[in-house]
Every structure is written in structure tokens, then in C-alpha cells.
């Protein structure tokens, strides 16, 4: 079959949607497709030396007439140029605002009939969709797309209810790179972090935003400490970090809670952990939960958005209600005190990652969609 030329638009910064867009591009490029990233900077985890991957920078000049540099217009303009110069077969847009709108405009500017796939990642609907003006913008982006996908069934349903687009949506789950996320030997990492061999380790990884409810994690952990010796690793960085450091000091838990900052050695950190806490109030998918499963780590996670599609209660972790720190602590203690249960959860975690979310299955779903959209011109 003819190999395709695909224009990819995504947020290049660190974040789940950028990671998925980059990993998908790499795997499509390995299959022989030409992937053209049209972004403001090279995406995080971008592969510089792949014959089938190209980067087309979106440049924006700060003309004095503009109070705000019009990035969306510059993006649309660059999309139009790349559609023409590279003779693209389709566009794959990650995150509705402003990308789906810029794609529609770029396509129009190029006077092209190219197909557009928009992938919704979460807050483009679950937060922006609550703003009346942006809701109309998201609807416009979806209805201008040939096909829109959502990263979980929960997000698909929420989009249909909240945005009421004319077009239907399909669910394609996220995936991870199994070559990176797998059980690994962490070497001396546990002792390097000053953690005692008998201390149990609970890990949380995020961008430290309010919706992650990190105070709930610290409070649940404090309740766990009443019964067993443990360490909480808070991995990542973001707007809530300083407040969280203050909360940890207020509780006198400085020796028991370690803020690691952003780290690249996530598989090793997951390998020294016994449990993950992920107690968000909104989460379309929770890519980090899948990364943990693929490393054999169970999670205590909330009943929010698409999380129960990733964490199956009692199978590869436990689901608790948002804000229920008593139950989060209770379930954590159940897991941490029971070696046999941890082994079962670990086996199930590895199985879920391999059976339900394997990259080969998900990338094949996207590839079929690419051919469908390219063929429908
Ligand atoms: O909007 C965000 O929170 C960032 C966004 C991202 O770009 O990482 O996260 C969303 O997309 C991820 C990848 O599909 C999902 O794993 C996250 O659950 C989702 N975040 C939310 O729904 C809050």
C-alpha cells in the first residue's frame, strides 16, 4: 500500500498529548510513513535522525502592531505552506484549541481537500468546553474535521454531551513505548534517594496542577504512615509545587516526602515503587497510569473521567471517590501490607498494558484511520 505523508500538529512541550503525538509519529515513521511536524519548537522526545520525520517550524515575528503575536494565524499559514510543498495526504491534529481551528484555516488557505483527524486529549473539552465561547470554537473544530477521536470512552461521551458536535467521535486509547516502559533493574536508585530498604515507596508523577489534587495525596500518605513506614516520592513540577512543599513542612513530613523535580528515569523510579497514587479530579486518560502498569506497578486512583478505563478496581489497582483520602489510605495499606496481593496486581498490571493498550494495536487503529481519511478525498 502507498505510504502516506502526514502533517502533525501538537503542543511540543512536555505533556501527555505531546508525548502521544511524538511516539505515534515515530512508530508511523518506522512503518514507512512520512511524518511532518508543524510546531513552534521541536516536540519533547523528538527524533532528530529519522529519515521519515521532518520538522517545520512555526515562526512568529513580534510586529509592533500586534499586542499579542497571532500564533494561530502563523500556524495556519505554515500548515497551508506544508500542505502544498510536501503534498500531504492528511493532517493529524492533537488538542482541539487552537490546532483544529488552525488546521481548518490552513486547509482553506491552501485551497485543499485534505482530510483532518483531530484527537481530543481532555482539557480541550473538560475545561475549555465549559466556556461558552470556547465551546463553540471546539464544536467548530470538530465539525470541520473529517474524523475526531477521543483518548477514552469517557471523554468521547463527555464531548458529545457538552459540545454537541454534528459529527460523531470514535475512541482510540493512548499507548506508550514498551521499549522504554517495562520492568527494569533500578540499580542503587532506592538507596541513592536515601530510602531505607524496608520503607515502602508510594509515587506520584504529574505536572503539579490543581486538578491533580496533590493535597489529597499528601493527606492519604500521612494516614498510611500511621501504620507503616513509607516514603512518598512526588515527581514532576508545576504551579502547585511551592504550596505542596509548605504543606509537607506544616505536617512535619519533610523526612518522609521527597520532591524529586522532573526526571527522565521514570521506569527506574517506578521500579523502586510499591504503589502509585493518582487522585485527580479530572483525567481523560492518565497516561502516567499506563506507564506505571507497563512497569508492573498498581495504582490507587480516582473515579474521574477515563481513569476507570485504565485502572480496573481490584484487578490492577483500586478506584476511590475523588477526595476520599480515608479510602485511598485504606486501599494503600491493603496493598502495601499484602505481598501476595501485590504480586497479583503486578501480574494483572502487566497484562492490562500488553492486552488492552499495546502500541501495536493502537498504532494499527490510527493507521487504518489515516488510510480511510486519505482515501476519502
Ligand atoms: O490538559 C492537560 O492536562 C494536559 C494534557 C496533556 O497534553 O498531557 O493531558 C491530557 O491528555 C493526556 C494525553 O492524552 C491524558 O493522559 C490526560 O489524562 C489529559 N489530562 C486531563 O484530562 C486533565
Amino acid at each position: 500500500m502507498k505510504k502516506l505523508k502526514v502533517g502533525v500538529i501538537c503542543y511540543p512541550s512536555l505533556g501527555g498529548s505531546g508525548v502521544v503525538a511524538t511516539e505515534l509519529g515515530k512508530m508511523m515513521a518506522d512503518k514507512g510513513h512520512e511524518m511532518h511536524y508543524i510546531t513552534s519548537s521541536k516536540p519533547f522526545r523528538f527524533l532528530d535522525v529519522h529519515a521519515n520525520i521532518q520538522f517545520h517550524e512555526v515562526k512568529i515575528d513580534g510586529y509592533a502592531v500586534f499586542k499579542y503575536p497571532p500564533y494561530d494565524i502563523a500556524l495556519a499559514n505554515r500548515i497551508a505552506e506544508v500542505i502544498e510543498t510536501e503534498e500531504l495526504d492528511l493532517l493529524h491534529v492533537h488538542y482541539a484549541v487552537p490546532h483544529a481551528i488552525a488546521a481548518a484555516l490552513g486547509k482553506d488557505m491552501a485551497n485543499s481537500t485534505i482530510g483532518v483527524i483531530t484527537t481530543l486529549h481532555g482539557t480541550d473539552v473538560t475545561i475549555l468546553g465549559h466556556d461558552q465561547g470556547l465551546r463553540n470554537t471546539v464544536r467548530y473544530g470538530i465539525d470541520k474535521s473529517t474524523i475526531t477521536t477521543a483518548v477514552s470512552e469517557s471523554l468521547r461521551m463527555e464531548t458529545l454531551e457538552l459540545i454537541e458536535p454534528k459529527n460523531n467521535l470514535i475512541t482510540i486509547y493512548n499507548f506508550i513505548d514498551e521499549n522504554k516502559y517495562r520492568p527494569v533493574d533500578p540499580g542503587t536508585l532506592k538507596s541513592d534517594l536515601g530510602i531505607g530498604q524496608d520503607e515502602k515507596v508510594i509515587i506520584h508523577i504529574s505536572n503539579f496542577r490543581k486538578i491533580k489534587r496533590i493535597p489529597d495525596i499528601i493527606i492519604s500518605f500521612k494516614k498510611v504512615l500511621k501504620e507503616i513506614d513509607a516514603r512518598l516520592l512526588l515527581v514532576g513540577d508545576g504551579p502547585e509545587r511551592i504550596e505542596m512543599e509548605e504543606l509537607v513542612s506544616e505536617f512535619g513530613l519533610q523526612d518522609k516526602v521527597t520532591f524529586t523535580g522532573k526526571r527522565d528515569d521514570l521506569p527506574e523510579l517506578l521500579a523502586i515503587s510499591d504503589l502509585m497514587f493518582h487522585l485527580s479530579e479530572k483525567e481523560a486518560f492518565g497516561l502516567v497510569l499506563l506507564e506505571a502498569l507497563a512497569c508492573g506497578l498498581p495504582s490507587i486512583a480516582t473515579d474521574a473521567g477515563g481513569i476507570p478505563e485504565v485502572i480496573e478496581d481490584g484487578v490492577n489497582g483500586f478506584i476511590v471517590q475523588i477526595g476520599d483520602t480515608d479510602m485511598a489510605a485504606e486501599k494503600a495499606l491493603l496493598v502495601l501490607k499484602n505481598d501476595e496481593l501485590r504480586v497479583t496486581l503486578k501480574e494483572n498490571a502487566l497484562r492490562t498494558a500488553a492486552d488492552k493498550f499495546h502500541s501495536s494495536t493502537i498504532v494499527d487503529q490510527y493507521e487504518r484511520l489515516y488510510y480511510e481519511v486519505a482515501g476519502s478525498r
Side-chain angles (χ1 to χ4, degrees), residues 38-244:
I38 310 168
T39 47
S40 55
S41 58
K42 281 189 183 171
F44 173 66
R45 297 190 194 169
F46 192 78
L47 258 198
D48 267 318
V49 278
H50 196 303
N52 289 337
I53 299 182
Q54 286 181 47
F55 167 56
H56 305 269
E57 189 181 3
V58 180
K59 288 200 189 110
I60 174 134
D61 292 319
Y63 294 111
V65 285
F66 297 129
K67 184 172 176 197
Y68 305 108
Y71 175 73
D72 311 356
I73 307 287
L75 175 62
N77 189 47
R78 194 78 174 111
I79 291 170
E81 278 171 16
V82 179
I83 289 176
E84 285 173 343
T85 54
E86 302 296 338
E87 298 177 358
L88 297 182
D89 294 302
L90 73 144
L91 294 171
H92 189 175
V93 171
H94 293 264
Y95 214 88
V97 182
H99 298 158
I101 291 82
L105 183 56
K107 176 177 159 173
D108 203 43
M109 286 164 82
N111 207 7
S112 163
T113 57
I114 194 171
V116 179
I117 298 173
T118 293
T119 292
L120 303 173
H121 281 272
T123 43
D124 40 0
V125 170
T126 58
I127 292 185
L128 305 187
H130 288 279
D131 176 304
Q132 179 60 45
L134 286 174
R135 187 185 309 158
N136 293 340
T137 310
V138 175
R139 185 185 305 120
Y140 175 85
I142 294 175
D143 286 338
K144 281 286 179 185
S145 302
T146 317
I147 292 181
T148 299
T149 73
V151 297
S152 63
E153 190 54 20
S154 152
L155 180 61
R156 188 181 86 83
M157 294 307 294
E158 195 170 343
T159 308
L160 292 176
E161 275 161 35
L162 192 63
I163 308 292
E164 300 180 323
K166 278 204 245 60
N167 289 344
N168 204 351
L169 278 74
I170 60 169
T171 298
I172 299 187
Y173 285 132
N174 282 333
F175 64 97
I176 43 101
D177 176 1
E178 290 86 9
N179 291 321
K180 174 166 179 176
Y181 291 98
R182 61 191 167 83
V184 294
D185 176 0
T188 57
L189 183 61
K190 194 169 175 179
S191 52
D192 293 349
L193 288 169
I195 305 171
Q197 284 314 308
D198 294 335
E199 261 180 286
K200 294 286 185 231
V201 179
I202 300 181
I203 190 167
H204 169 77
I205 307 173
S206 78
N207 49 15
F208 284 49
R209 290 187 304 160
K210 268 215 156 41
I211 53 168
K212 303 294 174 184
R213 294 183 72 101
I214 301 175
D216 285 1
I217 289 171
I218 297 170
I219 293 166
S220 305
F221 175 69
K222 191 168 171 251
K223 292 176 182 174
V224 167
L225 275 185
K226 284 189 187 154
E227 292 193 34
I228 58 166
D229 190 18
R231 181 72 66 98
L232 175 63
L233 293 180
L234 292 175
V235 183
D237 210 344
E240 291 287 284
R241 168 128 180 213
I242 293 173
E243 251 180 74
M244 292 311 103

Side-chain angles (χ1 to χ4, degrees), residues 14 26 70 101-102 104 112 146 178 185 224 228 241 274 302 313 319 321 335 339:
L14 194 143
K26 282 186 211 169
I101 291 82
S112 163
T146 317
E178 290 86 9
D185 176 0
V224 167
I228 58 166
R241 168 128 180 213
D274 298 287
T302 40
D313 190 37
I319 295 288
Q321 297 300 305
V335 176
D339 293 346

